[in-house]
Amino acid sequence: MKKKGFFKNEGVQSFIASIICILLGLLIGFIVLLFINPKGAGEAMLRIIQNFLKWNRSEKQIESLGNTLVKTAPLLMCSLSILFSYKVGLFNIGVAGQYVAGACAALIGVFGLHWNWVGCILLAAAAGAAFGVISGLLKAYCNVNEVISGIMLNWIALYSTNMILSSYTVAGRKDTPELASSVETAKAIIPNAGINKLFNGNKYVGLGIIIAIIFAFLVWILLSKTKFGYELKATGYNKNAAKYAGMAEKRNIVVTLGIAGLIAGIGASLLFLTDFSQWDINQTSVPAMGFNGIASAFLGGLNPIGAIFSSYFIQHITDGGSNVDLTMYCSQISDLISAIIIYLCSFTGLIRYLFKSGIFSKKKDRPEENANAEPEQPAPVETTAKGGNE
Amino acid sequence: MNMVIILIQYTLLFATVLSLVALGGCFAEHSGVINLGLEGIMVMSALAGALTFKYLGSDASAIVIILAVLVVSMLAGVIYSTLLGIAAIRLKADQTLVGTAMNMLGTAAATVIAKAVNLAEDPTKPSSEIKYVAGRKAFLFVEGYEFNVFMVIALIALIGAYIVLYKTRFGLRLMACGEHPQAADSVGINVAKMRWAGVLISGALGGLGGICYITAGVSSWKFEVGVAGFGFLALAVMIFGQWKPSRIAFAALLFGFFRALSNVNSGFEFLKNLNIPSGVYNMLPYVISLIVLAFTSKNSRAPKAEGIPYDKSMR
């Protein structure tokens, strides 16, 4: 059955669409750099794309790659949370708040309860899920748009986390202490399991990235191989049809956002239980991890396996951004590029449509892009009907 | 006694911001486009306004400063909102995603631009902060109090929006495109044009709200923090106000009051004695908006066709 032709394959199409988005995003980013200061723009762009490759020695490179992977794990979890709920027709922008709640719970587990790492991860999962469920209940029973409730919960989570965690900080410090600093808290560090040896002994690399990748496969299986996943997608495709077919559409909304929150909560614990970074109780903005998750979810074509690669890419350029010459540019240039990529990703439906209408095959002249009967549906619809597009 | 006046002035300040931005959202939604990018519009036009303050300097006369800042901010909002127009009307993209992208782009771009401006002046100080101490005074009526020109503008905008939406042909046609675009189209109304009008008006109002927000009681702004969810609070105000200008004014006052509390709580003796951490006051507006939305969204009078791209062939 390989008669469809290479460009007709949906997976290939979304891959090409993503590559187009990346190239355009980098191009626009480069133009912005040129505007700011034409002298160092080329080198700055190179620094962003190189990331860890800027080091000369290969041991240093591999160690630095490890750092990027440590942060890729939570990012991948956030993007899985987004894409999972998006497939069910819900835009889980509250992922950032669920992530914060997870971080808060994990650190309570560490400093307050002195639990080990498994317990802390479970606690983070429960906190994230609770925040997701609040959004879900409001959506299902009070008709509150999940985007607006999500944003409100993001800020609520941030302020309450700052308040709660301030009781664990040493006087005069704004960060929570390092886990390794005492025996009681050191057992909460996620084990390295020998993986750090692959990264020149980088002590932060451990099971985290493995857990995240396992979750990517779990989400893929749940969405495309189980009856439950099928029901969830059916609810997203047409709420009323799902209800008519005997599915509990309200319960499905709550469960979906609960699972999405659970994934995001675990994601936060994968970062904060490595000692790689500490919680700053004075921070006044919601961590960017959740919003970058949106970028990587859509860049990965809303496919869990695609998200593994897109998350790595987004984290790669984010880390690369901190290497630019800071006397000329600022590291936020990477955020700008990610944001441009998300904006362009909203057109991937259009790019796929162009494929369908045949600009890449030599047939006929293509129809006017607006007056065509092919409805430009958001991505989940197409993939829902086929049940996974790998 | 004095504290009461301060509380009133902050309530009015934040209510001004919220009602301007909520009216922006209201125009876009009545035309059938969900504008979740209001937050990004606010940041970008705030930056444009702040830079206008900066480059005009303190020598310019008050009226020049006011006019220039207002015009530049509104223009910036209009220009930035074309990103939504192109994606949502012309290319029929997912409006939620586009709005989110605009918010992220707004904060990132504003930070990059503000830092680039500061770095060009002094390469050793990479900061995203822009100051406008002298320029801001042009907007104040009485020295020492925060009552400003924006409050008058917001009042005019509220009355104007009511007249435009309910008493003019343009407004009624605009709302028709948000309720039932197929019917509007069948009687010869150009749906795409009307939606463009809705989006661009919302850009202009969001732009006014943006510059108003960063001048509300402060004389400098760090653009890294964006506008702290104010664009979304404004959307909550709009929903609570049932998409009607008169109710939006009331809703904005309510939300403005809770936001003002976080600025002035330490000034009241009895609030101070309760010993509530400031974080609680900070999150109060968001908690209140969640509760209010939970009770009012059930019987929502949202425009029926909002968020659905109009496709002629689906008629």
Side-chain angles (χ1 to χ4, degrees):
Chain A
M1 293 298 284
K2 273 273 170 190
K3 270 192 173 173
K4 276 173 77 186
F6 186 67
F7 285 114
K8 290 279 164 61
N9 184 313
E10 265 190 49
V12 174
Q13 285 184 1
S14 27
F15 180 72
I16 293 174
S18 300
I19 296 293
I20 293 175
C21 286
I22 291 176
L23 291 178
L24 277 175
L26 290 175
L27 179 69
I28 298 173
F30 183 58
I31 293 171
V32 172
L33 287 174
L34 279 178
F35 264 102
I36 296 174
N37 193 339
K39 247 192 263 160
E43 205 203 322
M45 202 66 220
L46 198 64
R47 279 286 167 90
I48 293 172
I49 299 172
Q50 275 183 328
N51 182 14
F52 62 87
L53 294 172
K54 69 164 182 166
W55 301 99
N56 292 326
R57 301 200 337 270
S58 62
E59 315 91 74
K60 197 74 191 151
Q61 280 184 4
I62 203 86
E63 197 182 326
S64 179
L65 168 66
N67 286 345
T68 301
L69 285 180
V70 169
K71 284 188 268 177
T72 302
L75 182 61
L76 173 56
M77 296 297 274
C78 286
S79 93
L80 289 173
S81 168
I82 303 264
L83 76 89
F84 175 71
S85 47
Y86 196 80
K87 292 257 180 184
V88 192
L90 297 162
F91 195 81
N92 183 26
I93 205 169
V95 64
Q98 294 147 13
Y99 175 84
V100 172
C104 182
L107 293 174
I108 289 175
V110 174
F111 297 113
L113 306 167
H114 300 304
W115 285 5
N116 69 358
W117 64 280
V118 178
C120 291
I121 289 181
L122 292 178
L123 203 59
F131 265 71
V133 165
I134 296 175
S135 258
L137 289 173
L138 285 169
K139 167 85 177 176
Y141 295 98
C142 302
N143 195 26
V144 178
N145 186 321
E146 79 277 9
V147 176
I148 294 180
S149 69
I151 295 282
M152 302 299 156
L153 286 168
N154 286 350
W155 291 97
I156 294 172
L158 177 74
Y159 287 123
S160 29
T161 300
N162 282 348
M163 276 190 287
I164 294 168
L165 293 186
S166 65
S167 58
Y168 300 127
T169 52
V170 184
R173 291 283 309 275
K174 62 183 176 56
D175 289 329
T176 51
E178 284 187 20
L179 274 56
S181 61
S182 101
V183 190
E184 271 177 326
T185 55
K187 64 182 178 222
I189 298 176
I190 296 175
N192 295 120
I195 302 167
N196 58 334
K197 295 206 179 72
L198 298 172
F199 296 92
N200 196 29
N202 185 333
K203 63 176 176 179
Y204 302 117
V205 189
L207 283 177
I209 185 72
I210 308 289
I211 294 174
I213 291 173
I214 291 173
F215 261 91
F217 281 95
L218 286 179
V219 168
W220 177 70
I221 291 168
L222 176 64
L223 276 174
S224 47
K225 301 288 172 205
T226 65
K227 176 172 159 252
F228 179 60
Y230 181 81
E231 271 199 26
L232 291 184
K233 284 191 296 185
T235 313
Y237 183 47
N238 188 333
K239 200 165 93 174
N240 294 326
K243 190 176 173 184
Y244 194 62
M247 301 168 188
E249 98 286 5
K250 286 193 170 159
R251 189 207 64 188
N252 284 354
I253 289 174
V254 180
V255 170
T256 302
L257 284 173
I259 294 176
L262 177 133
I263 298 172
I266 295 178
S269 68
L270 296 185
L271 180 64
F272 287 95
L273 296 181
T274 58
D275 245 359
F276 187 82
S277 68
Q278 283 73 37
W279 186 269
D280 171 4
I281 56 160
N282 288 336
Q283 57 184 301
T284 50
S285 54
V286 181
M289 198 62 89
F291 299 113
N292 281 344
I294 303 175
S296 59
F298 284 91
L299 188 60
L302 290 168
N303 181 303
I305 312 303
I308 300 175
F309 300 101
S310 60
S311 298
Y312 174 74
F313 174 77
I314 296 284
Q315 195 55 49
H316 183 91
I317 61 165
T318 306
D319 284 353
S322 54
N323 296 336
V324 297
D325 183 351
L326 291 176
T327 59
M328 279 192 268
Y329 311 101
C330 61
S331 54
Q332 278 86 357
I333 189 78
S334 305
D335 298 346
L336 185 73
I337 294 173
S338 310
I340 294 168
I341 289 175
I342 308 184
Y343 182 73
L344 295 170
C345 277
S346 57
F347 301 147
T348 45
L350 175 81
I351 297 172
R352 280 204 210 151
Y353 164 70
L354 291 179
F355 274 116
K356 257 187 216 150
S357 60
I359 50 162
F360 293 99
S361 53
K362 284 156 240 153
K363 265 190 270 165
K364 294 178 216 160
D365 45 337
R366 65 195 162 103
E368 258 297 299
E369 67 184 35
N370 250 357
N372 194 278
E374 195 72 38
E376 267 281 327
Q377 289 292 349
V381 178
E382 291 186 26
T383 40
T384 309
K386 308 250 161 55
N389 56 357
E390 263 303 285
Chain B
M1 185 55 208
N2 201 17
M3 276 321 287
V4 176
I5 295 179
I6 292 177
L7 180 62
I8 291 175
Q9 75 183 15
Y10 274 104
T11 303
L12 284 177
L13 266 180
F14 291 119
T16 305
V17 182
L18 287 171
S19 52
L20 282 172
V21 183
L23 282 179
C26 181
F27 269 97
E29 298 218 351
H30 272 310
S31 78
V33 180
I34 296 181
N35 188 354
L36 283 180
L38 278 169
E39 184 120 348
I41 292 174
M42 284 175 77
V43 179
M44 285 308 269
S45 36
L47 176 73
L51 289 177
T52 315
F53 274 130
K54 188 181 166 77
Y55 290 124
L56 275 179
S58 50
D59 307 331
S61 69
I63 189 81
V64 173
I65 293 181
I66 292 177
L67 284 179
V69 167
L70 289 184
V71 169
V72 170
S73 304
M74 281 172 77
L75 260 184
V78 169
I79 293 168
Y80 195 62
S81 67
T82 54
L83 282 182
L84 174 66
I86 293 170
I89 304 168
R90 178 94 181 102
L91 299 175
K92 304 187 164 84
D94 181 341
Q95 295 173 8
T96 312
L97 181 57
V98 174
T100 308
M102 283 172 69
N103 293 338
M104 293 179 61
L105 191 61
T107 311
T111 311
V112 167
I113 295 171
K115 282 198 175 177
V117 168
N118 285 337
L119 278 175
E121 283 173 2
D122 183 0
T124 57
K125 276 194 196 131
S127 149
S128 66
E129 189 172 11
I130 292 182
K131 295 191 174 95
Y132 33 84
V133 182
R136 193 177 78 91
K137 289 201 178 114
F139 280 86
L140 303 178
F141 289 128
V142 194
E143 188 88 21
Y145 289 95
E146 291 294 334
F147 299 103
N148 63 17
V149 178
F150 288 111
M151 295 177 184
V152 182
I153 296 175
L155 194 65
I156 297 172
L158 282 165
I159 298 169
Y162 174 78
I163 295 173
V164 169
L165 281 177
Y166 295 102
K167 305 291 175 196
T168 67
R169 195 159 69 169
F170 167 76
L172 293 168
R173 287 184 169 183
L174 186 87
M175 291 202 288
C177 293
E179 291 294 332
H180 202 308
Q182 288 82 0
D185 195 10
S186 71
V187 292
I189 298 171
N190 187 334
V191 176
K193 241 186 208 164
M194 280 297 169
R195 290 195 165 178
W196 267 107
V199 168
L200 295 182
I201 293 173
S202 112
L205 288 166
L208 277 178
I211 184 65
C212 180
Y213 181 60
I214 65 158
T215 54
V218 287
S219 323
S220 70
W221 197 258
K222 277 204 175 92
F223 281 90
E224 266 168 283
V225 294
V227 292
F230 238 69
F232 286 95
L233 274 181
L235 285 176
V237 165
M238 176 194 74
I239 295 169
F240 184 42
Q242 298 284 310
W243 291 264
K244 291 189 182 90
S246 50
R247 289 197 187 196
I248 284 176
F250 166 72
L253 281 174
L254 179 77
F255 280 58
F257 171 74
F258 285 108
R259 178 62 181 75
L261 270 187
S262 70
N263 274 42
V264 300
N265 66 73
S266 57
F268 286 98
E269 207 53 42
F270 73 97
L271 285 179
K272 216 175 173 179
N273 291 340
L274 288 177
N275 220 354
I276 302 169
S278 66
V280 174
Y281 290 105
N282 283 337
M283 63 181 178
L284 207 55
Y286 308 103
V287 176
I288 300 286
S289 75
L290 264 192
I291 296 170
V292 164
L293 286 177
F295 284 104
T296 52
S297 296
K298 195 89 189 170
N299 309 310
S300 145
R301 280 280 303 121
K304 286 205 179 58
E306 68 168 20
I308 308 163
Y310 177 57
D311 193 333
K312 256 186 195 237
S313 56
M314 303 283 276
R315 202 158 83 191

